[in-house]
Amino acid sequence: EPIPDYEQEAKDDAANLILEYFMDEIVDQLIDSGEASADINNDYDNGDGIFHETIVDRSYHLTDAAELLSQLYGNAEEDTGLWEGETNVDRIAEIQAAYTYGNAVWDEFNTLIMNINSLDIDDIKLETAIECLGYEPEDMDDYYVVIEKAEETSEYEEKLKERLVKEIKSFCE
């Protein structure tokens, strides 16, 4: 059986968190404040629960735990309180591996959010407004007027969300 590439798995799982669990909230954050939050625990509905259920709460056999810890040493969990009182060395390695993997996914999630936040939301809003209205402003001083007019149309919000989803997906593929 091939050795898992835990770094790639962490990247894939971080992208999956965005695509499967947090997409709508990220899009809303981008529209409302111009940037998405990387704080899974506080800024996403049941973010902490989802993160632990889908990422951290996995079991590893000792050999898998050792391989994971070897590959993801830069994300090694160092909070010994997580396995305090545990005397079985195999179990300690399994717990450390689970949280180390969680740290790696968390780092990848942060990187994806940083990339998503590099999007020029104002440009995307303006391009979407122009598409909805069918004309360009005569000069960029009319930028907000164009967006306000577009916001009055029925399709602007839906088209804006579709565009943001497409942009976000491009970072997750």
Side-chain angles (χ1 to χ4, degrees):
E1 185 174 311
I3 296 172
D5 181 346
Y6 288 110
E7 189 172 338
Q8 185 59 51
E9 285 185 24
K11 288 178 181 182
D12 294 345
D13 280 340
N16 191 56
L17 283 172
I18 289 171
L19 297 171
E20 299 295 323
Y21 296 98
F22 303 133
M23 180 67 80
D24 291 341
E25 289 171 277
I26 290 170
V27 167
D28 289 343
Q29 290 171 11
L30 290 172
I31 292 170
D32 295 343
S33 68
E35 67 177 25
S37 171
D39 188 349
I40 293 172
N41 291 336
N42 296 305
D43 293 336
Y44 294 92
D45 188 40
N46 193 29
D48 185 48
I50 290 168
F51 190 80
H52 278 273
E53 289 168 26
T54 62
I55 306 300
V56 178
D57 291 347
R58 298 178 180 181
S59 59
Y60 298 92
H61 294 291
L62 182 59
T63 54
D64 295 329
E67 182 61 36
L68 184 150
L69 292 167
S70 171
Q71 289 182 28
L72 301 178
Y73 63 88
N75 298 98
E77 180 58 61
E78 296 173 353
D79 180 0
T80 58
L82 294 168
W83 52 84
E84 190 174 331
E86 182 63 62
T87 56
N88 181 319
V89 175
D90 293 2
R91 184 70 190 122
I92 292 170
E94 293 163 11
I95 294 167
Q96 187 178 22
Y99 282 95
T100 295
Y101 186 72
N103 293 345
V105 173
W106 190 278
D107 280 357
E108 293 299 334
F109 182 84
N110 283 334
T111 298
L112 286 170
I113 293 295
M114 190 174 63
N115 291 338
I116 289 166
N117 285 337
S118 73
L119 290 170
D120 189 330
I121 302 303
D122 290 338
D123 271 2
I124 292 170
K125 285 181 175 181
L126 181 60
E127 290 168 8
T128 305
I130 291 168
E131 180 185 336
C132 288
L133 296 174
Y135 67 86
E136 293 196 30
E138 298 196 11
D139 65 60
M140 291 315 285
D141 293 338
D142 295 337
Y143 163 85
Y144 293 107
V145 174
V146 172
I147 290 176
E148 284 175 17
K149 283 183 183 173
E151 286 173 339
E152 294 170 9
T153 67
S154 57
E155 75 253 31
Y156 175 75
E157 185 177 356
E158 184 180 331
K159 283 186 181 282
L160 180 58
K161 286 182 177 187
E162 286 172 5
R163 169 77 186 275
L164 289 171
V165 166
K166 181 179 166 194
E167 297 285 345
I168 292 165
K169 283 182 176 179
S170 73
F171 290 113
C172 295
E173 294 171 343

